[in-house]
Amino acid sequence: MISVPDLISLVQEKLPNAEVNVLDKTGMMDHFIIHVTASQFETMNLMDRHRTVQEALNPAMQDGRLHAVEIKTATP
Amino acid sequence: MSAIEDQIKNEIAQNKVLIYGKGTKAAPQCGFTVETIQFFAKYGYPFEVINVLNDMDKRETLNRMTNWPTLPKVFIDGKFYGDTDILDEMEAKGEVEPLLKAAFSE
């Protein structure tokens, strides 16, 4: 279980002022679709964008607060 | 660990489209593995699913080799492409079909 604000702050720690939209896919607060729009992505290829978001979410993945996440990335 | 790496490298070389996932093609054990199977099924090209659900050493080796923490892991023509998060974005830009065509054209 992790709250949406916590998820958003985790991503923004790694990607300051990124726009983060979160959809709770199952209602159990542990399987989310996360759309991240960040200007930093402009210099990253697709794999690195996703890796950056995964790294940002890693603390929550490691301690079990977050079970599964689908990541979508975009530039502004 | 290199025996596992060699095994993985062989598997990648022998399958033009390879999915490391949880469960098998006939009995996938995870929603994301199902999604990835469905993704490739619609293109009609042959693909293989290798079940690593209970093989932690192999999963850790794959994580290290790809710097990608999750399953499924997709390889096309020997190159790593993450999972459907990546492939969906590539598909939206029309990049998957040519990639598969090229992989199977040799």
Side-chain angles (χ1 to χ4, degrees), chain A residues 38-52:
Chain A
S39 50
Q40 298 88 329
F41 285 157
E42 264 142 23
T43 57
M44 294 184 193
N45 66 33
L46 197 48
M47 299 292 286
D48 292 337
R49 293 180 189 186
H50 282 247
R51 284 199 174 99
T52 306

Side-chain angles (χ1 to χ4, degrees), chain A residues 16-61:
Chain A
N17 49 53
E19 189 206 323
V20 185
N21 294 305
V22 179
L23 176 70
D24 178 353
K25 209 174 171 186
T26 60
M28 305 288 290
M29 303 294 279
D30 67 356
H31 183 155
F32 296 94
I33 296 177
I34 298 180
H35 282 249
V36 182
T37 304
S39 50
Q40 298 88 329
F41 285 157
E42 264 142 23
T43 57
M44 294 184 193
N45 66 33
L46 197 48
M47 299 292 286
D48 292 337
R49 293 180 189 186
H50 282 247
R51 284 199 174 99
T52 306
V53 178
Q54 282 171 352
E55 272 158 38
L57 298 174
N58 196 40
M61 294 290 267

Side-chain angles (χ1 to χ4, degrees), chain B residues 24-70:
Chain B
T24 61
K25 203 191 261 194
Q29 306 291 315
C30 144
F32 291 131
T33 300
V34 171
E35 240 174 66
T36 312
I37 290 169
Q38 288 169 343
F39 181 92
F40 285 110
K42 61 178 201 285
Y43 281 95
Y45 292 97
F47 63 93
E48 190 51 73
V49 175
I50 292 180
N51 181 12
V52 291
L53 177 61
N54 301 317
D55 190 336
M56 294 319 286
D57 287 341
K58 194 165 184 179
R59 284 173 67 169
E60 268 146 38
T61 306
L62 278 162
N63 291 353
R64 227 188 12 267
M65 286 169 76
T66 58
N67 182 22
W68 189 268
T70 55

